[in-house]
Amino acid sequence: MPKKSFLSFVGFLLLIAATYCPLIRLFGIFPNMDLYDLNQPFGITVLLVGIVGILGIVLRQQPITKLCAWMALLLVVLVYVASFLKVHHAFSFIPFKSLAGFLTGKIKFKWGWYLLFAGPLLAIVGVYTTKRSAIVLNDK
């Protein structure tokens, strides 16, 4: 693994670790929900993108690493928008708007979102600061 791609490596590790961090807390009485509790197939997809990104770094495949970094950011934005919409429309079936607003206010987003966004952003910064080393062939 090149020394300059360490930032991308840390970003992908942070992404993988953030999938296990608390993202949403329901009503203050239920346990915190991580990405696998929100949507298990989506969490596994984010995990696999992080693993493929790390393999791209280790095998020095910058296009794969760049693709995985952008895919990870796209997936994190997609899951954030989906959770935000789900939270704000979860109680739309209740005819009393004040009660629906009160219950929606009791669902809290937790600190895991910061890590989930920081991972792909670090990976993208690391990909664009790492220069591809040229291979010099000698004809001797």
mmCIF file of all heavy atoms in Angstrom, residues 78-107:
data_model
loop_
_atom_site.group_PDB
_atom_site.id
_atom_site.type_symbol
_atom_site.label_atom_id
_atom_site.label_comp_id
_atom_site.label_asym_id
_atom_site.label_seq_id
_atom_site.Cartn_x
_atom_site.Cartn_y
_atom_site.Cartn_z
ATOM 1 N N LEU A 78 -27.715 8.633 -0.272
ATOM 2 C CA LEU A 78 -28.989 7.976 -0.551
ATOM 3 C C LEU A 78 -29.644 7.444 0.727
ATOM 4 O O LEU A 78 -30.845 7.626 0.941
ATOM 5 C CB LEU A 78 -28.770 6.840 -1.543
ATOM 6 C CG LEU A 78 -30.017 6.120 -2.038
ATOM 7 C CD1 LEU A 78 -30.877 7.064 -2.866
ATOM 8 C CD2 LEU A 78 -29.625 4.918 -2.864
ATOM 9 N N VAL A 79 -28.870 6.815 1.604
ATOM 10 C CA VAL A 79 -29.449 6.283 2.837
ATOM 11 C C VAL A 79 -29.855 7.411 3.783
ATOM 12 O O VAL A 79 -30.850 7.292 4.512
ATOM 13 C CB VAL A 79 -28.511 5.261 3.523
ATOM 14 C CG1 VAL A 79 -27.370 5.913 4.228
ATOM 15 C CG2 VAL A 79 -29.278 4.405 4.505
ATOM 16 N N TYR A 80 -29.131 8.529 3.765
ATOM 17 C CA TYR A 80 -29.519 9.652 4.611
ATOM 18 C C TYR A 80 -30.842 10.259 4.132
ATOM 19 O O TYR A 80 -31.726 10.534 4.943
ATOM 20 C CB TYR A 80 -28.430 10.717 4.640
ATOM 21 C CG TYR A 80 -28.806 11.892 5.498
ATOM 22 C CD1 TYR A 80 -28.774 11.785 6.882
ATOM 23 C CD2 TYR A 80 -29.225 13.091 4.949
ATOM 24 C CE1 TYR A 80 -29.147 12.844 7.690
ATOM 25 C CE2 TYR A 80 -29.599 14.157 5.747
ATOM 26 C CZ TYR A 80 -29.556 14.032 7.112
ATOM 27 O OH TYR A 80 -29.934 15.079 7.905
ATOM 28 N N VAL A 81 -30.964 10.460 2.835
ATOM 29 C CA VAL A 81 -32.213 11.022 2.292
ATOM 30 C C VAL A 81 -33.375 10.067 2.555
ATOM 31 O O VAL A 81 -34.470 10.502 2.952
ATOM 32 C CB VAL A 81 -32.060 11.319 0.787
ATOM 33 C CG1 VAL A 81 -33.386 11.637 0.135
ATOM 34 C CG2 VAL A 81 -31.085 12.462 0.577
ATOM 35 N N ALA A 82 -33.149 8.773 2.373
ATOM 36 C CA ALA A 82 -34.213 7.795 2.619
ATOM 37 C C ALA A 82 -34.626 7.780 4.085
ATOM 38 O O ALA A 82 -35.818 7.733 4.395
ATOM 39 C CB ALA A 82 -33.743 6.405 2.188
ATOM 40 N N SER A 83 -33.656 7.842 5.007
ATOM 41 C CA SER A 83 -34.026 7.843 6.433
ATOM 42 C C SER A 83 -34.712 9.137 6.827
ATOM 43 O O SER A 83 -35.640 9.117 7.625
ATOM 44 C CB SER A 83 -32.862 7.656 7.363
ATOM 45 O OG SER A 83 -31.752 7.252 6.803
ATOM 46 N N PHE A 84 -34.256 10.255 6.276
ATOM 47 C CA PHE A 84 -34.884 11.538 6.587
ATOM 48 C C PHE A 84 -36.337 11.545 6.126
ATOM 49 O O PHE A 84 -37.239 11.959 6.876
ATOM 50 C CB PHE A 84 -34.096 12.672 5.911
ATOM 51 C CG PHE A 84 -34.597 14.033 6.265
ATOM 52 C CD1 PHE A 84 -34.234 14.616 7.465
ATOM 53 C CD2 PHE A 84 -35.429 14.723 5.405
ATOM 54 C CE1 PHE A 84 -34.701 15.876 7.804
ATOM 55 C CE2 PHE A 84 -35.897 15.979 5.734
ATOM 56 C CZ PHE A 84 -35.539 16.561 6.931
ATOM 57 N N LEU A 85 -36.578 11.062 4.913
ATOM 58 C CA LEU A 85 -37.952 11.026 4.406
ATOM 59 C C LEU A 85 -38.800 10.025 5.177
ATOM 60 O O LEU A 85 -39.987 10.282 5.442
ATOM 61 C CB LEU A 85 -37.953 10.692 2.916
ATOM 62 C CG LEU A 85 -37.388 11.769 2.005
ATOM 63 C CD1 LEU A 85 -37.335 11.279 0.568
ATOM 64 C CD2 LEU A 85 -38.188 13.048 2.108
ATOM 65 N N LYS A 86 -38.220 8.907 5.551
ATOM 66 C CA LYS A 86 -38.959 7.896 6.307
ATOM 67 C C LYS A 86 -39.356 8.437 7.686
ATOM 68 O O LYS A 86 -40.480 8.224 8.141
ATOM 69 C CB LYS A 86 -38.105 6.639 6.459
ATOM 70 C CG LYS A 86 -38.772 5.519 7.199
ATOM 71 C CD LYS A 86 -39.874 4.915 6.392
ATOM 72 C CE LYS A 86 -40.416 3.703 7.100
ATOM 73 N NZ LYS A 86 -41.540 3.136 6.402
ATOM 74 N N VAL A 87 -38.432 9.141 8.335
ATOM 75 C CA VAL A 87 -38.727 9.689 9.659
ATOM 76 C C VAL A 87 -39.818 10.745 9.573
ATOM 77 O O VAL A 87 -40.740 10.768 10.388
ATOM 78 C CB VAL A 87 -37.446 10.267 10.303
ATOM 79 C CG1 VAL A 87 -37.771 11.165 11.479
ATOM 80 C CG2 VAL A 87 -36.534 9.138 10.744
ATOM 81 N N HIS A 88 -39.738 11.615 8.581
ATOM 82 C CA HIS A 88 -40.691 12.718 8.503
ATOM 83 C C HIS A 88 -42.039 12.335 7.894
ATOM 84 O O HIS A 88 -42.970 13.144 7.925
ATOM 85 C CB HIS A 88 -40.080 13.890 7.754
ATOM 86 C CG HIS A 88 -39.031 14.586 8.567
ATOM 87 N ND1 HIS A 88 -39.327 15.349 9.668
ATOM 88 C CD2 HIS A 88 -37.683 14.576 8.475
ATOM 89 C CE1 HIS A 88 -38.222 15.809 10.203
ATOM 90 N NE2 HIS A 88 -37.200 15.344 9.508
ATOM 91 N N HIS A 89 -42.129 11.111 7.358
ATOM 92 C CA HIS A 89 -43.420 10.654 6.848
ATOM 93 C C HIS A 89 -43.909 9.397 7.566
ATOM 94 O O HIS A 89 -44.882 8.779 7.140
ATOM 95 C CB HIS A 89 -43.328 10.377 5.349
ATOM 96 C CG HIS A 89 -43.091 11.614 4.547
ATOM 97 N ND1 HIS A 89 -44.010 12.622 4.462
ATOM 98 C CD2 HIS A 89 -42.032 12.009 3.803
ATOM 99 C CE1 HIS A 89 -43.531 13.581 3.705
ATOM 100 N NE2 HIS A 89 -42.328 13.245 3.296
ATOM 101 N N ALA A 90 -43.265 9.017 8.653
ATOM 102 C CA ALA A 90 -43.624 7.789 9.356
ATOM 103 C C ALA A 90 -45.000 7.895 10.019
ATOM 104 O O ALA A 90 -45.716 6.906 10.122
ATOM 105 C CB ALA A 90 -42.576 7.445 10.403
ATOM 106 N N PHE A 91 -45.356 9.077 10.466
ATOM 107 C CA PHE A 91 -46.622 9.238 11.175
ATOM 108 C C PHE A 91 -47.619 10.071 10.373
ATOM 109 O O PHE A 91 -48.487 10.728 10.930
ATOM 110 C CB PHE A 91 -46.375 9.894 12.538
ATOM 111 C CG PHE A 91 -45.498 9.060 13.410
ATOM 112 C CD1 PHE A 91 -44.177 9.416 13.625
ATOM 113 C CD2 PHE A 91 -45.975 7.900 13.989
ATOM 114 C CE1 PHE A 91 -43.361 8.645 14.426
ATOM 115 C CE2 PHE A 91 -45.162 7.118 14.780
ATOM 116 C CZ PHE A 91 -43.852 7.491 15.001
ATOM 117 N N SER A 92 -47.516 10.029 9.057
ATOM 118 C CA SER A 92 -48.430 10.806 8.222
ATOM 119 C C SER A 92 -49.840 10.213 8.201
ATOM 120 O O SER A 92 -50.768 10.887 7.785
ATOM 121 C CB SER A 92 -47.886 10.905 6.800
ATOM 122 O OG SER A 92 -47.795 9.623 6.226
ATOM 123 N N PHE A 93 -50.001 8.995 8.676
ATOM 124 C CA PHE A 93 -51.324 8.375 8.711
ATOM 125 C C PHE A 93 -52.179 8.915 9.860
ATOM 126 O O PHE A 93 -53.393 8.736 9.874
ATOM 127 C CB PHE A 93 -51.194 6.846 8.838
ATOM 128 C CG PHE A 93 -50.577 6.397 10.128
ATOM 129 C CD1 PHE A 93 -51.377 6.097 11.223
ATOM 130 C CD2 PHE A 93 -49.203 6.267 10.258
ATOM 131 C CE1 PHE A 93 -50.816 5.687 12.417
ATOM 132 C CE2 PHE A 93 -48.636 5.846 11.441
ATOM 133 C CZ PHE A 93 -49.438 5.557 12.524
ATOM 134 N N ILE A 94 -51.556 9.587 10.834
ATOM 135 C CA ILE A 94 -52.290 10.130 11.979
ATOM 136 C C ILE A 94 -52.985 11.416 11.530
ATOM 137 O O ILE A 94 -52.344 12.323 11.002
ATOM 138 C CB ILE A 94 -51.339 10.402 13.163
ATOM 139 C CG1 ILE A 94 -50.711 9.084 13.617
ATOM 140 C CG2 ILE A 94 -52.078 11.079 14.304
ATOM 141 C CD1 ILE A 94 -49.678 9.248 14.710
ATOM 142 N N PRO A 95 -54.289 11.520 11.725
ATOM 143 C CA PRO A 95 -54.999 12.705 11.231
ATOM 144 C C PRO A 95 -54.701 13.979 12.022
ATOM 145 O O PRO A 95 -54.964 15.073 11.534
ATOM 146 C CB PRO A 95 -56.480 12.319 11.358
ATOM 147 C CG PRO A 95 -56.517 11.240 12.365
ATOM 148 C CD PRO A 95 -55.204 10.541 12.297
ATOM 149 N N PHE A 96 -54.158 13.868 13.215
ATOM 150 C CA PHE A 96 -53.846 15.045 14.025
ATOM 151 C C PHE A 96 -52.404 15.465 13.766
ATOM 152 O O PHE A 96 -51.470 14.777 14.150
ATOM 153 C CB PHE A 96 -54.063 14.743 15.508
ATOM 154 C CG PHE A 96 -55.448 14.220 15.799
ATOM 155 C CD1 PHE A 96 -55.629 12.904 16.167
ATOM 156 C CD2 PHE A 96 -56.550 15.049 15.679
ATOM 157 C CE1 PHE A 96 -56.894 12.413 16.427
ATOM 158 C CE2 PHE A 96 -57.813 14.569 15.941
ATOM 159 C CZ PHE A 96 -57.998 13.252 16.315
ATOM 160 N N LYS A 97 -52.238 16.602 13.129
ATOM 161 C CA LYS A 97 -50.902 17.053 12.725
ATOM 162 C C LYS A 97 -49.998 17.329 13.929
ATOM 163 O O LYS A 97 -48.806 17.097 13.877
ATOM 164 C CB LYS A 97 -51.000 18.316 11.857
ATOM 165 C CG LYS A 97 -51.747 18.121 10.574
ATOM 166 C CD LYS A 97 -51.000 17.197 9.662
ATOM 167 C CE LYS A 97 -51.774 17.050 8.360
ATOM 168 N NZ LYS A 97 -51.233 16.018 7.523
ATOM 169 N N SER A 98 -50.567 17.825 15.012
ATOM 170 C CA SER A 98 -49.733 18.128 16.177
ATOM 171 C C SER A 98 -49.197 16.844 16.813
ATOM 172 O O SER A 98 -48.041 16.804 17.240
ATOM 173 C CB SER A 98 -50.520 18.947 17.198
ATOM 174 O OG SER A 98 -51.643 18.209 17.644
ATOM 175 N N LEU A 99 -50.009 15.810 16.876
ATOM 176 C CA LEU A 99 -49.564 14.536 17.422
ATOM 177 C C LEU A 99 -48.521 13.893 16.511
ATOM 178 O O LEU A 99 -47.505 13.362 16.989
ATOM 179 C CB LEU A 99 -50.750 13.587 17.624
ATOM 180 C CG LEU A 99 -50.423 12.216 18.205
ATOM 181 C CD1 LEU A 99 -49.801 12.360 19.588
ATOM 182 C CD2 LEU A 99 -51.663 11.356 18.251
ATOM 183 N N ALA A 100 -48.739 13.977 15.213
ATOM 184 C CA ALA A 100 -47.765 13.427 14.260
ATOM 185 C C ALA A 100 -46.438 14.178 14.362
ATOM 186 O O ALA A 100 -45.362 13.563 14.337
ATOM 187 C CB ALA A 100 -48.309 13.502 12.841
ATOM 188 N N GLY A 101 -46.486 15.480 14.507
ATOM 189 C CA GLY A 101 -45.269 16.276 14.661
ATOM 190 C C GLY A 101 -44.547 15.973 15.964
ATOM 191 O O GLY A 101 -43.323 15.942 16.014
ATOM 192 N N PHE A 102 -45.317 15.756 17.028
ATOM 193 C CA PHE A 102 -44.725 15.413 18.326
ATOM 194 C C PHE A 102 -43.994 14.079 18.247
ATOM 195 O O PHE A 102 -42.866 13.939 18.725
ATOM 196 C CB PHE A 102 -45.812 15.365 19.398
ATOM 197 C CG PHE A 102 -45.323 14.877 20.723
ATOM 198 C CD1 PHE A 102 -44.557 15.700 21.536
ATOM 199 C CD2 PHE A 102 -45.623 13.598 21.159
ATOM 200 C CE1 PHE A 102 -44.093 15.246 22.761
ATOM 201 C CE2 PHE A 102 -45.173 13.135 22.374
ATOM 202 C CZ PHE A 102 -44.404 13.966 23.184
ATOM 203 N N LEU A 103 -44.624 13.075 17.639
ATOM 204 C CA LEU A 103 -44.001 11.755 17.529
ATOM 205 C C LEU A 103 -42.792 11.782 16.604
ATOM 206 O O LEU A 103 -41.785 11.112 16.865
ATOM 207 C CB LEU A 103 -45.027 10.737 17.043
ATOM 208 C CG LEU A 103 -46.148 10.407 18.035
ATOM 209 C CD1 LEU A 103 -47.176 9.493 17.391
ATOM 210 C CD2 LEU A 103 -45.577 9.784 19.286
ATOM 211 N N THR A 104 -42.862 12.559 15.529
ATOM 212 C CA THR A 104 -41.723 12.686 14.629
ATOM 213 C C THR A 104 -40.549 13.351 15.336
ATOM 214 O O THR A 104 -39.394 12.989 15.104
ATOM 215 C CB THR A 104 -42.117 13.503 13.380
ATOM 216 O OG1 THR A 104 -43.196 12.834 12.721
ATOM 217 C CG2 THR A 104 -40.963 13.639 12.420
ATOM 218 N N GLY A 105 -40.826 14.299 16.215
ATOM 219 C CA GLY A 105 -39.767 14.971 16.960
ATOM 220 C C GLY A 105 -39.060 14.072 17.953
ATOM 221 O O GLY A 105 -37.962 14.400 18.420
ATOM 222 N N LYS A 106 -39.675 12.959 18.316
ATOM 223 C CA LYS A 106 -39.062 12.032 19.270
ATOM 224 C C LYS A 106 -38.091 11.049 18.615
ATOM 225 O O LYS A 106 -37.430 10.285 19.300
ATOM 226 C CB LYS A 106 -40.145 11.232 20.007
ATOM 227 C CG LYS A 106 -41.007 12.104 20.894
ATOM 228 C CD LYS A 106 -40.166 12.775 21.936
ATOM 229 C CE LYS A 106 -40.994 13.706 22.787
ATOM 230 N NZ LYS A 106 -40.193 14.480 23.707
ATOM 231 N N ILE A 107 -38.001 11.076 17.291
ATOM 232 C CA ILE A 107 -37.031 10.242 16.582
ATOM 233 C C ILE A 107 -35.805 11.097 16.323
ATOM 234 O O ILE A 107 -35.871 12.117 15.654
ATOM 235 C CB ILE A 107 -37.624 9.704 15.264
ATOM 236 C CG1 ILE A 107 -38.870 8.859 15.549
ATOM 237 C CG2 ILE A 107 -36.585 8.892 14.511
ATOM 238 C CD1 ILE A 107 -39.603 8.412 14.321
#
